[in-house]
Coordinates of all heavy atoms in Angstrom, one line a residue:
R1 N -38.0 39.6 12.1 CA -37.7 38.1 11.8 C -36.6 37.6 12.7 O -35.8 38.4 13.3 CB -37.1 38.1 10.4 CG -38.1 38.6 9.2 CD -39.2 37.5 9.3 NE -40.1 37.7 8.1 CZ -41.3 38.3 8.1 NH1 -41.6 39.1 9.2 NH2 -42.0 38.5 7.1
S2 N -36.6 36.4 12.9 CA -35.6 35.7 13.6 C -34.6 34.9 12.7 O -35.0 34.1 11.8 CB -36.1 34.6 14.6 OG -35.3 33.5 15.0
T3 N -33.3 35.2 12.7 CA -32.3 34.7 11.8 C -32.3 33.2 12.0 O -32.3 32.4 11.0 CB -31.1 35.2 12.1 OG1 -31.0 36.6 11.8 CG2 -30.0 34.6 11.1
A4 N -32.4 32.7 13.3 CA -32.4 31.2 13.6 C -33.5 30.6 12.8 O -33.4 29.4 12.3 CB -32.3 31.0 15.0
A5 N -34.7 31.1 13.0 CA -35.9 30.6 12.4 C -35.9 30.5 11.0 O -36.2 29.5 10.3 CB -37.2 31.3 13.0
E6 N -35.3 31.5 10.3 CA -35.3 31.6 8.9 C -34.2 30.6 8.4 O -34.5 29.9 7.4 CB -34.8 32.9 8.4 CG -35.8 34.1 8.6 CD -37.1 33.8 7.8 OE1 -37.0 33.4 6.7 OE2 -38.2 34.2 8.5
E7 N -33.2 30.3 9.1 CA -32.2 29.3 8.7 C -32.8 27.9 8.9 O -32.7 27.0 8.0 CB -31.0 29.3 9.6 CG -30.2 30.6 9.3 CD -29.0 30.7 10.3 OE1 -29.0 30.0 11.3 OE2 -28.1 31.7 10.1
A8 N -33.7 27.7 9.9 CA -34.3 26.3 10.1 C -35.4 26.1 9.1 O -35.5 25.1 8.6 CB -35.0 26.3 11.5
R9 N -36.1 27.2 8.7 CA -37.1 27.1 7.7 C -36.4 26.7 6.3 O -37.0 25.9 5.5 CB -37.9 28.3 7.6 CG -39.1 28.2 6.6 CD -39.9 29.4 6.8 NE -40.7 29.6 8.0 CZ -40.3 30.5 9.0 NH1 -39.4 31.3 8.9 NH2 -41.1 30.5 10.2
A10 N -35.4 27.3 6.1 CA -34.6 27.1 4.8 C -34.1 25.5 4.9 O -34.2 24.9 3.8 CB -33.4 28.0 4.7
D11 N -33.6 25.2 6.0 CA -33.2 23.6 6.1 C -34.5 22.7 5.8 O -34.3 21.6 5.2 CB -32.7 23.4 7.4 CG -31.3 23.9 7.6 OD1 -30.6 24.4 6.5 OD2 -30.7 24.3 8.8
L12 N -35.6 23.0 6.4 CA -36.7 22.3 6.2 C -37.2 22.2 4.7 O -37.5 21.2 4.2 CB -38.0 22.9 7.1 CG -39.3 22.3 6.8 CD1 -39.4 21.0 7.3 CD2 -40.4 23.2 7.6
R13 N -37.2 23.3 4.0 CA -37.5 23.3 2.6 C -36.6 22.6 1.8 O -37.0 21.9 0.9 CB -37.6 24.8 2.2 CG -38.9 25.6 2.7 CD -38.8 27.1 2.5 NE -39.9 27.9 2.9 CZ -39.9 29.1 3.1 NH1 -38.8 29.8 2.9 NH2 -41.1 29.7 3.6
R14 N -35.3 22.6 2.1 CA -34.3 21.9 1.4 C -34.6 20.4 1.5 O -34.6 19.7 0.5 CB -32.9 22.2 1.8 CG -32.3 23.5 1.2 CD -30.9 23.6 1.4 NE -30.5 23.8 2.8 CZ -30.4 25.1 3.4 NH1 -30.5 26.1 2.5 NH2 -30.2 25.2 4.6
A15 N -34.9 19.9 2.7 CA -35.1 18.6 3.0 C -36.4 18.1 2.3 O -36.4 17.0 1.6 CB -35.2 18.3 4.5
L16 N -37.4 18.8 2.3 CA -38.7 18.5 1.6 C -38.5 18.5 0.0 O -39.0 17.5 -0.6 CB -39.7 19.5 2.0 CG -40.3 19.5 3.3 CD1 -41.3 20.6 3.6 CD2 -40.9 18.1 3.7
A17 N -37.7 19.5 -0.5 CA -37.4 19.5 -1.9 C -36.8 18.3 -2.4 O -36.9 17.8 -3.5 CB -36.8 20.8 -2.3
A18 N -35.8 17.8 -1.5 CA -34.9 16.7 -1.9 C -35.6 15.3 -1.6 O -35.0 14.2 -1.9 CB -33.5 16.8 -1.1
G19 N -36.8 15.5 -1.0 CA -37.4 14.1 -0.6 C -36.8 13.4 0.6 O -36.9 12.2 0.7
E20 N -36.1 14.2 1.3 CA -35.4 13.5 2.4 C -36.2 13.7 3.7 O -37.0 14.6 3.9 CB -34.0 14.3 2.7 CG -33.1 14.2 1.5 CD -31.9 15.1 1.7 OE1 -31.8 15.8 2.6 OE2 -31.0 14.9 0.8
P21 N -35.9 12.9 4.7 CA -36.6 13.1 6.1 C -36.2 14.4 6.7 O -35.1 14.8 6.6 CB -36.1 11.8 6.9 CG -35.5 10.8 5.9 CD -35.1 11.7 4.7
V22 N -37.1 15.0 7.4 CA -36.8 16.2 8.1 C -36.3 15.8 9.5 O -37.0 15.1 10.2 CB -38.2 17.1 8.3 CG1 -37.8 18.3 9.1 CG2 -38.6 17.4 6.8
G23 N -35.1 16.3 9.8 CA -34.5 15.9 11.0 C -35.1 16.5 12.2 O -35.6 17.6 12.2
D24 N -35.0 15.8 13.4 CA -35.6 16.3 14.5 C -34.9 17.8 15.0 O -35.6 18.6 15.5 CB -35.4 15.4 15.7 CG -36.3 14.1 15.6 OD1 -37.2 14.2 14.8 OD2 -36.1 13.1 16.3
D25 N -33.7 17.8 14.7 CA -32.9 19.1 15.0 C -33.6 20.2 14.3 O -33.8 21.3 14.8 CB -31.5 19.0 14.7 CG -30.7 20.4 14.9 OD1 -30.7 20.7 16.0 OD2 -30.3 20.9 13.8
V26 N -33.9 20.1 13.0 CA -34.5 21.1 12.2 C -35.9 21.5 12.8 O -36.2 22.8 12.9 CB -34.7 20.7 10.8 CG1 -35.4 21.7 9.9 CG2 -33.4 20.5 10.1
V27 N -36.7 20.5 13.1 CA -38.0 20.8 13.7 C -37.9 21.5 15.0 O -38.6 22.5 15.3 CB -38.8 19.5 13.8 CG1 -40.2 19.8 14.6 CG2 -38.9 18.8 12.4
D28 N -37.0 21.1 15.8 CA -36.8 21.7 17.1 C -36.3 23.2 16.9 O -36.9 24.1 17.7 CB -35.7 21.0 18.0 CG -36.2 19.6 18.4 OD1 -37.4 19.3 18.3 OD2 -35.3 18.8 19.0
R29 N -35.4 23.4 16.1 CA -35.0 24.9 15.9 C -36.1 25.7 15.3 O -36.1 26.9 15.6 CB -33.7 24.9 14.9 CG -32.5 24.3 15.6 CD -31.2 24.5 14.7 NE -31.2 23.6 13.5 CZ -31.3 24.1 12.3 NH1 -31.4 25.4 12.0 NH2 -31.2 23.3 11.3
L30 N -36.9 25.1 14.5 CA -38.0 26.0 14.0 C -39.2 26.2 14.8 O -39.6 27.3 15.0 CB -38.4 25.3 12.6 CG -39.5 26.0 11.9 CD1 -39.1 27.4 11.4 CD2 -40.0 25.2 10.6
V31 N -39.6 25.2 15.5 CA -40.9 25.2 16.2 C -40.7 25.6 17.6 O -41.6 26.4 18.3 CB -41.6 23.9 16.1 CG1 -42.9 23.8 16.7 CG2 -41.8 23.5 14.6
L32 N -39.8 25.0 18.4 CA -39.8 25.2 19.9 C -39.7 26.7 20.3 O -40.4 27.1 21.0 CB -38.6 24.4 20.5 CG -38.8 22.9 20.5 CD1 -37.5 22.2 21.1 CD2 -40.0 22.6 21.4
P33 N -38.8 27.6 19.6 CA -38.7 29.0 20.0 C -40.0 29.6 19.6 O -40.4 30.6 20.4 CB -37.5 29.5 19.1 CG -36.7 28.3 18.8 CD -37.7 27.1 18.6
L34 N -40.7 29.3 18.6 CA -42.0 29.9 18.3 C -42.9 29.5 19.3 O -43.8 30.4 19.6 CB -42.5 29.2 16.9 CG -43.7 29.7 16.4 CD1 -43.8 31.3 16.1 CD2 -44.2 29.0 15.1
V35 N -43.1 28.3 19.7 CA -44.0 27.9 20.8 C -43.7 28.7 22.1 O -44.7 29.2 22.7 CB -44.0 26.6 21.1 CG1 -44.9 26.0 22.3 CG2 -44.5 25.6 19.8
E36 N -42.4 28.8 22.4 CA -42.1 29.4 23.7 C -42.5 31.0 23.6 O -42.8 31.6 24.7 CB -40.6 29.4 23.9 CG -40.1 27.9 24.2 CD -40.7 27.4 25.6 OE1 -41.0 28.2 26.4 OE2 -40.6 26.2 25.7
K37 N -42.4 31.6 22.5 CA -42.7 33.0 22.4 C -44.2 33.3 22.2 O -44.8 34.2 22.8 CB -42.0 33.7 21.3 CG -42.1 35.2 21.4 CD -41.1 35.8 20.5 CE -41.1 37.4 20.6 NZ -40.1 38.1 19.8
A38 N -44.8 32.4 21.3 CA -46.2 32.6 20.9 C -47.2 32.3 22.0 O -48.2 33.1 22.1 CB -46.6 31.8 19.7
V39 N -47.1 31.3 22.7 CA -48.0 30.9 23.7 C -48.3 32.0 24.8 O -49.5 32.3 25.1 CB -47.8 29.6 24.3 CG1 -48.5 29.2 25.6 CG2 -47.9 28.4 23.3
P40 N -47.2 32.5 25.3 CA -47.6 33.6 26.4 C -48.2 34.8 25.7 O -49.1 35.5 26.4 CB -46.2 34.1 26.9 CG -45.2 32.9 26.6 CD -45.9 32.1 25.4
E41 N -48.0 35.1 24.4 CA -48.7 36.2 23.7 C -50.3 35.8 23.5 O -51.1 36.7 23.7 CB -48.2 36.4 22.4 CG -46.7 36.9 22.5 CD -46.0 37.2 21.2 OE1 -46.5 36.7 20.1 OE2 -45.0 37.8 21.2
W42 N -50.6 34.5 23.1 CA -52.0 34.1 23.1 C -52.6 34.2 24.4 O -53.8 34.7 24.5 CB -52.1 32.6 22.6 CG -52.1 32.6 21.2 CD1 -51.0 31.9 20.4 CD2 -53.0 32.9 20.2 NE1 -51.3 32.0 19.1 CE2 -52.5 32.5 19.0 CE3 -54.2 33.4 20.3 CZ2 -53.3 32.7 17.7 CZ3 -55.0 33.6 19.1 CH2 -54.5 33.4 17.9
R43 N -51.9 33.9 25.5 CA -52.5 34.0 26.9 C -52.7 35.6 27.3 O -53.8 35.8 27.9 CB -51.5 33.3 27.9 CG -51.3 31.8 27.7 CD -50.7 31.1 28.6 NE -51.4 30.9 29.8 CZ -51.1 30.4 31.0 NH1 -49.9 30.1 31.2 NH2 -52.0 30.2 32.0

């Protein structure tokens, strides 16, 4: 597990549960590192 990803995922869930907009910072922290690591693995 990635601690940073788990924290970003928790922030995402909190925003959705509260009916708040999901901030770009949260999306970046959750998705960008995943893309950077996963795409070379798929290739």
